[in-house]
């Protein structure tokens, strides 16, 4: 199939013919060197054109057909053609519009027509532009959908979950229990056998051998002690804390004298921390969380120091207007940071909700640990929910069957009066550990079952643990669990420990 001549190729052929015949109607291109080169490369085209000087159209077409197999590109100046030549478009499409020529013409490919070359180049440019625009669109969309992940000062990703806490709002608004009267009644009954519990006016000095539930003056001490006591026995937690004291020592002078040298723990390796607390259980996870907490606290302390110093220099003239206590707190924070004494005592100045938000941002710290620190260290009303409290409140009907420990905390925090939160927290734990009928693993055949329970008439024991489990856990079943690795203790210390056969989602080692 023959290809049709194009206008530009026809003009080029006409210019060559006119040059050979010295035609006065055609302006000769000044670039004769390139024209000669074209003759050498395409002898057939030149001979055909010269053989028929009086029939430029026919001979031009023949010449182009013979030269169409060459891939040589020729750059030349544009010849100016007479208006009489090639003034008609093929297929009766009308007259050719008068062209406006520039001094020179871009490279012309003899293998293809100008129109085809322009189309190919145009398509390539369009395709490239489309690809670039698609890339930009995708990148923009990805940035909008996936914002840059913020990290803590130590490079760790912050927790994604805030546990769904709803401060001041119950997740079960349809449940109006427990009422104030119910709380008062249970508190009175449990106090009759476990003793009256009241919150201390002042926090006792910390022990270097007992962890406890964070009832110490230092917020950081309270946080770490409670972390170590999670998901293990009191004895094991004490061993872990004692291991830190023996390995890293206590401060002998300066701010925090007598406290554990937490900065030395921070600078140690995870392996060293693991070796120090390995006797306490779950040391692999707890050592990593402990190190990460101390790293974050150190970075925060230094950042707060810089901010306080900056604000102090800017507001020096207003320093007399700052309350005396606030000024002392500020100077205390600056001194702690300068001496590398790690501290979270600034949480004393936050509201309960703000303190909860700050505490649960640390790795390994969940609502239970945070609530314990708020209740015992910050001395704020806060109803921390552990496994014993969760079990008893479930049997009392104070939380619905679908509740978990997080939603139970949110609900009970709203429903239980503030003045009873400390005492009920302590009484529920004591009762859950010691009552023959209210322990985690017990049944009618268990020793002491016949002694009864002071709140037995208020309970409906469904036997569910974390939403599943047998209706009644018999003594044989408890022994089987013990054989599987959960040692059953029969001495007095057994009353002091958390039953490991009933783990909780509040175990702070799994909060991340």
């Amino acid at each position: 199939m023959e290809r049709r001549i194009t206008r530009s190729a026809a003009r080029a052929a006409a210019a060559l013919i006119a040059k050979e015949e010295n035609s006065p109607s055609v302006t000769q291109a000044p670039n004769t060197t390139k024209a000669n080169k074209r003759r050498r490369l395409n002898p057939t085209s030149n001979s055909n054109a010269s053989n028929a000087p009086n029939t430029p159209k026919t001979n031009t077409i023949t010449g182009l057909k013979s030269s169409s197999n060459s891939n040589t590109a020729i750059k030349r100046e544009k010849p100016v053609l007479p208006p009489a030549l090639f003034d008609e478009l093929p297929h009766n499409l009308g007259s050719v519009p008068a062209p406006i020529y520039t001094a020179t013409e871009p490279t012309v490919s003899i293998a293809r027509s100008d129109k085809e070359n322009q189309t190919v180049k145009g398509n390539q440019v369009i395709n490239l532009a489309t690809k670039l625009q698609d890339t930009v669109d995708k990148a923009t969309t990805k940035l909008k959908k996936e914002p840059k992940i913020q990290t803590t000062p130590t490079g760790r990703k912050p927790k994604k979950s805030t546990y769904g806490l709803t401060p001041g709002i119950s997740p079960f608004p349809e449940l109006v229990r427990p009422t104030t009267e119910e709380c008062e009644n249970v508190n009175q009954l449990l106090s009759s056998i476990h003793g009256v519990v009241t919150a201390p006016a002042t926090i006792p000095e910390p022990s270097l051998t007992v962890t406890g539930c964070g009832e110490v003056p230092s917020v950081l001490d309270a946080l770490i002690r409670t972390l170590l006591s999670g998901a293990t026995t009191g004895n094991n937690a004490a061993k872990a804390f004692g291991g830190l004291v023996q390995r890293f020592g206590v401060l002998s002078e300066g701010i925090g004298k007598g406290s554990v040298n937490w900065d030395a723990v921070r600078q140690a390796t995870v392996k060293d921390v693991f070796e120090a607390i390995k006797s306490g259980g779950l040391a692999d996870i707890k050592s990593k969380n402990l190190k990460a907490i101390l790293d974050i606290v150190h970075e925060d302390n230094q950042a707060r120091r810089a901010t306080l110093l900056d604000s102090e220099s800017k507001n020096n003239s207003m320093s007399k207007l700052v309350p005396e206590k606030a000024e002392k707190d500020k100077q205390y924070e600056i001194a702690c940071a300068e001496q590398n004494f790690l501290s979270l005592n600034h949480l004393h100045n936050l509201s309960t909700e703000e303190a909860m938000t700050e505490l649960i941002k640390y790795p390994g710290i969940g609502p239970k640990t945070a609530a314990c620190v708020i209740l015992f260290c910050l001395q704020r009303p806060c109803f921390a929910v552990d496994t014993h409290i969760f079990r008893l409140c479930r049997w009392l009907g104070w939380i619905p069957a679908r509740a978990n420990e997080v939603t139970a905390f949110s609900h009970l925090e709203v429903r239980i009066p503030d003045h009873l939160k400390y005492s009920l927290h302590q009484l529920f734990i004591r009762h859950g550990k010691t009552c023959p009928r209210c322990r985690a693993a017990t049944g009618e055949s268990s020793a002491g079952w016949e002694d009864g329970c002071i709140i037995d008439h208020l309970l409906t024991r469904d036997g569910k643990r974390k939403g599943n489990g047998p209706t009644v856990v018999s003594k044989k079943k408890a022994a089987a669990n013990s054989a599987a690795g959960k040692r059953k203790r029969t001495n007095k210390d057994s009353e002091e420990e958390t039953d490991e056969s009933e783990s909780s989602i509040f175990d702070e080692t799994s909060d991340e």
Side-chain angles (χ1 to χ4, degrees), residues 78-331:
K78 186 74 176 181
V80 180
L81 299 178
L85 293 176
F86 308 107
D87 58 353
E88 294 294 328
L89 291 172
H91 307 294
N92 298 320
L93 294 179
S95 300
V96 178
I100 300 175
Y101 296 115
T102 56
T104 59
E105 182 186 20
T107 302
V108 177
S109 173
I110 297 182
R112 294 180 177 176
S113 67
D114 286 352
K115 185 175 181 180
E116 288 174 327
N117 288 332
Q118 291 172 2
T119 302
V120 171
K121 292 180 181 178
N123 289 339
Q124 291 175 345
V125 173
I126 293 173
N127 290 338
L128 179 60
T130 303
K131 289 180 180 178
L132 290 174
Q133 187 61 45
D134 289 343
T135 303
V136 172
D137 292 342
K138 289 178 181 178
T140 305
T141 303
K142 187 174 182 180
L143 285 174
K144 290 180 179 179
K145 292 183 179 179
E146 301 178 7
K148 184 179 179 180
I149 298 175
Q150 300 296 324
T151 59
T152 63
T154 57
R156 291 174 61 95
K157 293 180 182 179
K159 289 183 179 179
K160 295 180 180 179
S161 174
T162 57
Y163 298 95
L165 299 177
T166 55
I169 302 174
S170 168
F172 312 113
E174 72 284 355
L175 181 62
V176 296
R177 301 183 63 192
T179 63
T180 301
E181 292 75 16
E182 285 179 306
C183 294
E184 294 281 6
N185 183 36
V186 171
N187 187 76
Q188 182 180 2
L189 291 172
L190 294 178
S191 297
S192 66
I193 62 171
H194 299 295
V196 177
V197 176
T198 56
T202 59
I203 302 176
E205 288 300 315
S207 168
L208 294 178
T209 57
V210 180
T211 54
C213 292
E215 203 160 9
V216 292
S218 168
V219 181
L220 182 60
D221 266 28
L223 184 66
I224 294 176
R225 289 168 186 262
T226 311
L227 172 68
L228 294 176
S229 66
T232 190
T233 67
N235 286 339
N236 285 344
K239 290 178 182 178
F241 190 78
L244 290 173
V245 174
Q246 293 176 7
R247 195 174 189 91
F248 301 104
V250 297
L251 296 173
S252 58
E253 59 183 11
I255 297 176
K257 180 179 179 180
S259 174
V260 179
N261 190 348
W262 295 122
D263 192 55
V265 181
R266 177 186 68 85
Q267 297 183 55
T269 63
V270 175
K271 183 179 179 180
D272 288 339
V273 179
F274 170 83
E275 291 295 330
I277 67 173
K278 64 181 180 181
S279 59
L282 299 175
D284 183 50
I285 298 174
K286 290 183 179 180
S287 60
K288 294 176 182 177
N289 288 335
L290 177 54
K291 266 279 295 174
I293 290 172
L294 296 177
D295 286 336
I296 296 172
V297 171
H298 177 263
E299 295 289 343
D300 287 348
N301 285 173
Q302 297 303 317
R304 287 179 62 82
R305 173 185 174 275
T307 301
L308 291 173
L309 288 175
D310 184 58
S311 63
E312 189 178 58
S313 62
K314 291 181 179 178
N315 301 313
N316 189 40
S317 60
M318 302 291 292
S319 59
K320 294 182 179 180
L321 301 179
V322 179
E324 183 179 355
K325 185 178 185 303
E327 181 64 24
K328 286 183 178 179
D329 290 341
K330 183 169 71 172
Q331 295 304 322

Side-chain angles (χ1 to χ4, degrees), residues 478-500:
N481 290 339
S482 176
K486 298 176 178 64
R487 182 170 58 89
K488 184 177 180 180
R489 298 162 178 83
T490 57
N491 54 22
K492 183 178 179 180
D493 290 338
S494 65
E495 298 179 356
E496 303 281 336
E497 65 194 25
T498 301
D499 196 316
E500 293 183 36

Side-chain angles (χ1 to χ4, degrees), residues 313-485:
S313 62
K314 291 181 179 178
N315 301 313
N316 189 40
S317 60
M318 302 291 292
S319 59
K320 294 182 179 180
L321 301 179
V322 179
E324 183 179 355
K325 185 178 185 303
E327 181 64 24
K328 286 183 178 179
D329 290 341
K330 183 169 71 172
Q331 295 304 322
Y332 174 78
E333 278 198 62
I334 294 173
C336 287
E338 289 176 346
Q339 297 182 27
N340 285 328
F341 174 69
L342 304 185
S343 172
L344 287 176
N345 288 344
H346 64 276
L347 297 186
H348 281 286
N349 300 322
L350 302 182
S351 67
T352 300
E353 294 177 7
E354 291 172 336
M356 173 65 73
T357 302
E358 282 294 305
L359 288 169
I360 64 176
K361 78 178 183 181
Y362 294 108
I365 304 302
K368 177 206 167 185
T369 296
C372 284
V373 173
I374 293 171
L375 177 65
F376 295 114
C377 180
L378 301 184
Q379 294 185 300
R380 315 273 184 84
C382 195
F383 195 70
V385 178
D386 78 337
T387 56
H388 300 293
I389 296 172
F390 180 76
R391 180 173 68 254
L392 289 172
C393 288
R394 192 184 173 98
W395 289 350
L396 284 166
W398 289 7
I399 54 176
R402 67 181 185 276
N404 57 37
E405 284 87 343
V406 175
T407 55
F409 166 76
S410 292
H411 176 73
L412 295 171
E413 179 70 5
V414 172
R415 299 300 308 175
I416 294 178
D418 284 348
H419 70 282
L420 294 176
K421 287 178 178 176
Y422 185 94
S423 60
L424 277 178
H425 172 87
Q426 296 280 44
L427 290 169
F428 274 140
I429 292 176
R430 293 181 186 179
H431 191 73
K433 289 180 177 180
T434 60
C435 177
R437 294 192 177 190
C438 295
R439 286 176 61 88
T442 188
E444 294 183 6
S445 59
S446 300
W449 182 271
E450 63 279 359
D451 294 339
C453 171
I454 190 66
I455 58 174
D456 196 63
H457 61 291
L458 301 175
L459 304 179
T460 301
R461 294 183 177 86
D462 57 9
K464 293 182 179 179
R465 313 294 190 264
K466 290 172 52 179
N468 54 31
T471 301
V472 177
V473 179
S474 65
K475 191 173 182 180
K476 292 182 178 180
K477 181 65 176 178
N481 290 339
S482 176

